[in-house]
Amino acid sequence: MPKDQNIQFDDLEKLGESKGEQKTFSEEELIGILSDREKLAAVYKESGVDFLRILFDKLAMSKEFRIKAIEILEQINQKP
Amino acid sequence: MSESVGVLLSPRQTLVTSEISGQAFDKIEGHIASIRQKSSMEISELVDPILTWEGLYEQKVSPQEFAALQILSSVLETIKYVSAHHERTPYAALEQAVETEHDVLQTVFQNLKKDGRPNASIVRSFGIVTNVFKDFLNLDTMKVKDSVYDQMYYWQGLMGTATAAFMFKELGWEIRLPPARADIENEVDLIVKNAKGDIYTVDITSKVNMNDGLSGCFRASVRESNPAAKKLINGLSGTIRINVPPVRTQEADDFYENKITGYPGEKGLTALKNILIYA
């Protein structure tokens, strides 16, 4: 809907329904994003809550990833 | 691994589910409150307390708690963006504000109980946002002028839209979200369709009318759409304008079943039904 003109009702986003296809990130990509503060900000701005959901899903599934993520976030937080 | 990580991954403590849920939210609420003081938000600042909590109790955040976090996260990000521009809100910030509103509405409506009401985590997240950001979310305080938001509080407006959406859902109407441009430029908050197939744009406000006082807080009318809206949506039958009582007003006590989420009560539903019966 680039011009937002003559839109059909059925083509509009339905309230209460999932938007469908969700962006995905591999574990390596997530670690890379978490490790880089600037990249993290850029991805979060672009993907917003989708990124958070993927991140938390991954944290729940993989204990190794969780430990790695904690280490990275601790390093980030220790930086001045 | 540092000492603190060891603490994070300490053996699971025995807590009943409700206590865990409560502790998670309390921790988040406290953390968010401290971020509010800094008027900024880093993603790691949100992730950190969740990691800490999950590590401590070795229990992942539930889907409902995550949905609540989504609301906090979206609102925080948008507020940070909008508040970075004190004098004049750029179009991109307005678009983000609308998109955040849509994200929150989707989160709420994708997490309803069987009876159609928001689940407990959503209710709690609304309460947290309302309490923690009651000053911060006030765009008048933020001195945002020359924008569609200069007349109302962002959160109050968002809740007003949620209330109107609940009302149309209860009345059996189909609800769609408009493109952000339509909201910003044409005051189209929702697009709805009744059982007959008639399509209306909905313009929602949540204000106290100084002339009518508190008793005039709920108003609704059906009128002809403006040319821009007609051009936007095919087969548009008209525009419905609704003003729902701000939750802090006296009228809200009768109007809402749940003032935290803005879920309407029977009085509110009947009032709208009486107006829409001829639509």
Side-chain angles (χ1 to χ4, degrees):
Chain A
M1 289 176 280
K3 293 181 180 175
D4 296 345
Q5 297 288 319
N6 299 312
I7 300 168
Q8 298 290 337
F9 180 84
D10 289 341
D11 291 338
L12 292 162
E13 185 184 344
K14 191 172 185 178
L15 186 61
E17 262 192 7
S18 167
K19 286 180 181 175
E21 201 171 312
Q22 196 179 69
K23 189 172 173 57
T24 58
F25 300 94
S26 69
E27 198 163 297
E28 291 72 26
E29 283 176 313
L30 282 174
I31 288 292
I33 292 165
L34 285 175
S35 308
D36 184 332
R37 192 181 271 263
E38 285 184 14
K39 192 185 284 183
L40 184 62
V43 171
Y44 185 50
K45 187 176 178 184
E46 184 187 337
S47 304
V49 293
D50 282 349
F51 173 71
L52 273 185
R53 183 185 286 280
I54 293 164
L55 179 62
F56 280 109
D57 284 350
K58 186 63 73 178
L59 289 167
M61 285 189 294
S62 165
K63 189 165 185 175
E64 292 72 28
F65 178 80
R66 179 193 302 240
I67 291 169
K68 182 72 180 167
I70 290 172
E71 286 176 343
I72 289 169
L73 287 168
E74 281 202 338
Q75 287 167 11
I76 288 176
N77 290 336
Q78 283 167 6
K79 286 180 184 173
Chain B
M1 191 183 299
S2 71
E3 189 177 335
S4 59
V5 175
V7 173
L8 294 179
L9 299 175
S10 63
R12 180 177 182 170
Q13 298 184 14
T14 306
L15 291 170
V16 298
T17 307
S18 60
E19 287 175 330
I20 291 173
S21 179
Q23 286 198 11
F25 277 114
D26 290 344
K27 197 168 181 59
I28 294 163
E29 187 171 9
H31 186 75
I32 299 302
S34 70
I35 291 167
R36 177 190 165 207
Q37 300 298 320
K38 294 189 286 182
S39 300
S40 66
M41 179 67 181
E42 296 271 355
I43 187 173
S44 60
E45 292 176 299
L46 180 64
V47 171
D48 243 4
I50 307 306
L51 285 170
T52 304
W53 178 83
E54 285 195 336
L56 192 59
Y57 301 113
E58 291 189 351
Q59 182 165 334
K60 68 172 186 173
V61 173
S62 72
Q64 289 75 26
E65 287 169 337
F66 189 86
L69 279 169
Q70 279 188 297
I71 288 180
L72 292 174
S73 172
S74 299
V75 172
L76 282 165
E77 182 65 15
T78 295
I79 293 301
K80 187 173 77 169
Y81 187 23
V82 173
S83 63
H85 307 280
H86 291 291
E87 296 305 321
R88 191 171 186 283
T89 311
Y91 199 86
L94 295 176
E95 280 186 312
Q96 180 163 328
V98 172
E99 285 164 4
T100 295
E101 180 174 314
H102 289 179
D103 281 345
V104 173
L105 288 171
Q106 286 290 25
T107 302
V108 172
F109 278 77
Q110 287 169 11
N111 288 278
L112 300 177
K113 295 188 293 184
K114 285 181 180 173
D115 64 4
R117 287 150 174 82
N119 71 38
S121 293
I122 296 294
V123 174
R124 181 144 172 90
S125 72
F126 265 64
I128 290 172
V129 174
T130 303
N131 285 327
V132 174
F133 294 100
K134 59 187 173 188
D135 298 325
F136 198 47
L137 289 166
N138 179 344
L139 293 202
D140 285 346
T141 304
M142 287 157 55
K143 298 178 182 173
V144 176
K145 300 297 179 190
D146 302 325
S147 78
V148 294
Y149 293 104
D150 64 355
Q151 300 168 46
M152 64 180 184
Y153 302 153
Y154 178 67
W155 188 247
Q156 185 169 297
L158 194 158
M159 288 190 66
T161 304
T163 297
F166 282 132
M167 295 171 94
F168 282 106
K169 187 172 185 295
E170 278 288 325
L171 298 178
W173 290 45
E174 277 188 65
I175 308 166
R176 305 289 166 124
L177 297 172
R181 279 181 57 189
D183 191 324
I184 297 166
E185 297 173 13
N186 304 113
E187 297 179 332
V188 177
D189 295 297
L190 297 174
I191 300 167
V192 295
K193 184 162 82 172
N194 64 16
K196 292 185 292 183
D198 302 324
I199 300 166
Y200 295 86
T201 56
V202 188
D203 176 11
I204 304 156
T205 51
S206 182
K207 304 176 190 172
V208 175
N209 185 319
M210 299 313 288
N211 295 325
D212 295 340
L214 296 179
S215 63
C217 278
F218 177 75
R219 296 183 301 280
S221 61
V222 183
R223 57 185 66 193
E224 191 175 346
S225 299
N226 64 46
K230 276 184 178 174
K231 208 172 177 181
L232 182 74
I233 309 294
N234 268 351
L236 198 62
S237 298
T239 292
I240 299 168
R241 286 191 175 171
I242 299 177
N243 188 81
V244 297
V247 290
R248 292 189 185 86
T249 61
Q250 288 176 351
E251 192 181 10
D253 293 343
D254 291 334
F255 189 86
Y256 293 104
E257 177 186 295
N258 184 331
K259 290 207 294 182
I260 296 175
T261 56
Y263 197 88
E266 200 55 43
K267 184 181 175 183
L269 289 171
T270 303
L272 182 62
K273 193 185 294 182
N274 289 339
I275 289 163
L276 296 182
I277 197 163
Y278 301 111

